[in-house]
Amino acid sequence: MQKINRNVVLALLTATSLVFLLFQLYYYRFYLAQKHVVRKFLGLISSQNIPVYLIDPLVLGLISKDIEQIRSSSDGSSPECKYFCAPRDFTTFALLDKMWKHEMDLFRTAEKMGFQWLKILNKDPRLEGMDDLSGTEIPLHYIFKLASHAIHLVVFYERSGHYLWHGPLRLKQHMDRKFVPFRKLHFGRYPGAYEKPELLLVSIDDLKVQIPKNPSSFLEEISHSRFLECRYREARAFFQLYPDDASLDAVEFRKKAKSLLHLAAMTLNNLGVKFWLSSGTCLGWYRQCNIIPYSKDVDLGIFIRDYKADIIPAFQKAGLPLKHKFGKVEDSLELSFQGEGDIKLDIFFFYEEHDHIWNGGTQAKSGKKFKYLFPKFTLCWTEFVELKVHVPCETLQYVEANYGPDWRVPVKTWDWKSSPSNVQDNGIWPVDEWDDVIQIY
């Protein structure tokens, strides 16, 4: 009996030792291996003098919780591996433009260090336009793989609107789709637009790495970064059917409208008010990648939840006097500001219902109210007249709701009370409210 017991104990001890050994192997492979790969990658890019910074949302999420402690720490040394040792398939870094001249030197050095690599190219949208749709190919993403971990290096390019842009990750037919689990990547499902971040050099897990100075703000940007490119091919086809107005009046109007839009964007951005291109301005971007010269105004949309009482004073301070104020915050609010000459800025406030979104309109002489219904939409970034601005991501549905299925056909005679496809009567303002809800200056 004692012999059996000794054998059982010996077997249990052997099994326990084996489990512990397997755990140590697992820990090294999935925890320490990540830090090892990150360290080797940082050594690789340092040897090539390539400035990169960390944008991995999972790691930055951990860092943001300890950011004050990390900033105050002299060397960031810690007995535990806290940030780079969680089990992940990737760690993501960013590169500002292609900031090195000898790309092949990087690849040769990477291979000597044991890395496998993959480069993803696509057309440069900055070179596309009405006259040239070719677009030279540029590197958008790099993958460096070592053992069970990979580094995803996202290339950011500065656009004319003074913001950073990265392209989508689209594999070409000849590429190995099993190189890494691409579906798990945090960047590349769609293009993204970001403000240029201020960087901070920190030491974490005994590694020196640059990060966005405000990780929380950058993480917030990630969740709202989707970018839509202007549809140049469709715009060129439109102008083949309907030649553009190149008259002096049209050129002058577009110049004034661009200036007004830039001023409006700066004013609202300074207030922290999110807005998007709406109505005819949105149609111009989507249909012809330009301002519609006969529209005579600039149209913006704002969710009523983002309304601030400072909006009117801010525009007045910017040199744009209030032309009219219709409605009230609770119902059908609309503001119009006078720009240079006869051009005006119209701001429509949108209200969310359970299955749709709407904005209101008011006829000053009769007090009649109108409602314009839209399917629910989200916001994406785009570039328009050298400006980074929002548009509805579901742009086609938004435009079709407002202008109907024939939105591709220019209509120069437009009645805001009856022409829109989505307009409906919404009653009449009570006479005793007119002084508050119908204000003309």
Side-chain angles (χ1 to χ4, degrees):
M1 188 69 179
Q2 288 181 347
K3 184 177 181 180
I4 295 175
N5 288 342
R6 282 197 298 271
N7 290 338
V8 170
V9 170
L10 183 61
L12 288 173
L13 289 173
T14 303
T16 302
S17 300
L18 182 60
V19 169
F20 182 71
L21 178 60
L22 291 173
F23 174 78
Q24 285 184 311
L25 291 172
Y26 176 85
Y27 180 81
Y28 175 79
R29 181 180 178 187
F30 291 101
Y31 286 72
L32 297 184
Q34 178 180 346
K35 180 180 176 180
H36 172 68
V37 174
V38 171
R39 185 189 298 276
K40 291 199 73 170
F41 172 75
L42 292 175
L44 168 66
I45 59 98
S46 177
S47 70
Q48 302 293 311
N49 295 315
I50 302 172
V52 302
Y53 60 98
L54 181 72
I55 59 170
D56 192 288
L58 299 178
V59 181
L60 285 180
L62 296 173
I63 291 174
S64 65
K65 297 176 182 178
D66 305 327
I67 188 62
E68 295 304 324
Q69 178 184 346
I70 291 172
R71 283 173 177 165
S72 61
S73 175
S74 58
D75 59 2
S77 59
S78 173
E80 61 174 325
C81 183
K82 186 175 182 181
Y83 305 102
F84 287 119
C85 290
R88 303 187 190 96
D89 295 300
F90 296 93
T91 303
T92 314
F93 288 84
L95 167 67
L96 292 178
D97 290 321
K98 183 184 169 187
M99 298 185 69
W100 74 95
K101 296 180 180 179
H102 306 291
E103 187 181 69
M104 292 312 300
D105 288 345
L106 172 69
F107 296 146
R108 280 194 289 267
T109 305
E111 289 172 357
K112 289 178 181 178
M113 296 175 69
F115 283 102
Q116 296 175 275
W117 57 268
L118 182 68
K119 178 172 72 170
I120 293 92
L121 299 164
N122 215 321
K123 291 182 178 180
D124 186 349
R126 300 171 302 172
L127 302 179
E128 288 197 325
M130 299 302 298
D131 300 322
D132 182 10
L133 299 176
S134 59
T136 303
E137 286 200 330
I138 53 174
L140 298 180
H141 299 265
Y142 295 93
I143 309 284
F144 294 90
K145 184 174 72 170
L146 180 62
S148 61
H149 195 73
I151 302 296
H152 180 199
L153 183 58
V154 184
V155 187
F156 282 79
Y157 293 88
E158 185 167 352
R159 301 278 293 249
S160 59
H162 305 294
Y163 63 94
L164 298 180
W165 169 91
H166 73 76
L169 195 157
R170 301 288 182 265
L171 296 178
K172 297 186 177 180
Q173 288 186 348
H174 67 277
M175 291 183 172
D176 181 6
R177 281 164 167 72
K178 296 181 180 180
F179 185 71
V180 290
F182 289 99
R183 292 183 181 275
K184 294 183 180 181
L185 292 174
H186 299 292
F187 294 82
R189 291 193 184 96
Y190 43 73
Y194 294 81
E195 295 298 310
K196 288 189 285 188
E198 187 177 353
L199 300 180
L200 176 69
L201 181 64
V202 297
S203 182
I204 50 177
D205 293 343
D206 297 324
L207 298 175
K208 288 192 178 296
V209 61
Q210 289 204 99
I211 64 170
K213 190 172 182 179
N214 190 331
S216 298
S217 295
F218 184 81
L219 290 170
E220 178 66 20
E221 278 195 89
I222 292 176
S223 59
H224 304 288
S225 64
R226 186 179 175 187
F227 183 91
L228 299 180
E229 203 66 62
C230 181
R231 308 180 325 138
Y232 286 114
R233 293 183 185 278
E234 291 81 357
R236 189 157 77 168
F238 170 82
F239 284 122
Q240 287 174 347
L241 290 174
Y242 309 99
D244 194 18
D245 184 354
S247 67
L248 290 177
D249 287 345
V251 172
E252 185 64 19
F253 171 76
R254 280 176 167 156
K255 180 180 177 182
K256 292 178 180 178
K258 175 182 175 180
S259 177
L260 180 58
L261 181 56
H262 277 247
L263 180 58
M266 182 177 66
T267 304
L268 291 171
N269 287 338
N270 287 341
L271 292 174
V273 175
K274 186 181 293 186
F275 69 94
W276 66 90
L277 303 183
S278 188
S279 302
T281 307
C282 182
L283 175 63
W285 168 77
Y286 189 67
R287 185 176 68 188
Q288 55 210 74
C289 295
N290 208 337
I291 294 167
I292 299 174
Y294 54 82
S295 59
K296 303 305 178 186
D297 56 20
V298 171
D299 303 308
L300 302 180
I302 297 175
F303 286 117
I304 196 62
R305 64 173 181 262
D306 295 324
Y307 170 80
K308 291 183 179 180
D310 295 338
I311 290 176
I312 294 176
F315 275 105
Q316 291 174 327
K317 186 177 180 181
L320 300 177
L322 183 63
K323 186 174 183 181
H324 73 239
K325 176 185 176 185
F326 294 157
K328 51 188 177 180
V329 174
E330 298 80 14
D331 184 7
S332 304
L333 183 62
E334 171 191 339
L335 302 176
S336 184
F337 298 91
Q338 187 62 55
E340 182 183 355
D342 60 350
I343 185 173
K344 60 189 177 74
L345 170 70
D346 291 331
I347 300 180
F348 305 101
F349 289 86
F350 284 67
Y351 299 77
E352 295 185 73
E353 304 289 349
H354 69 282
D355 62 349
H356 67 276
I357 297 174
W358 64 275
N359 73 283
T362 296
Q363 187 180 37
K365 65 179 182 180
S366 67
K368 285 185 177 179
K369 298 169 61 181
F370 301 87
K371 180 183 280 191
Y372 305 86
L373 273 61
F374 295 85
K376 286 199 167 185
F377 57 87
T378 53
L379 295 179
C380 286
W381 291 110
T382 191
E383 183 178 314
F384 186 57
V385 293
E386 298 181 338
L387 187 67
K388 173 180 170 242
V389 289
H390 278 119
V391 292
C393 298
E394 301 78 11
T395 321
L396 177 59
Q397 293 89 330
Y398 187 86
V399 168
E400 283 189 336
N402 212 178
Y403 297 97
D406 296 326
W407 57 270
R408 295 175 182 84
V409 180
V411 177
K412 295 187 178 182
T413 303
W414 186 262
D415 186 337
W416 61 270
K417 302 181 297 299
S418 59
S419 296
S421 300
N422 58 342
V423 65
Q424 58 181 233
D425 292 337
N426 194 30
I428 300 177
W429 288 108
V431 175
D432 60 355
E433 293 187 27
W434 280 25
D435 287 345
D436 294 324
V437 299
I438 304 175
Q439 298 181 18
I440 301 176
Y441 300 91

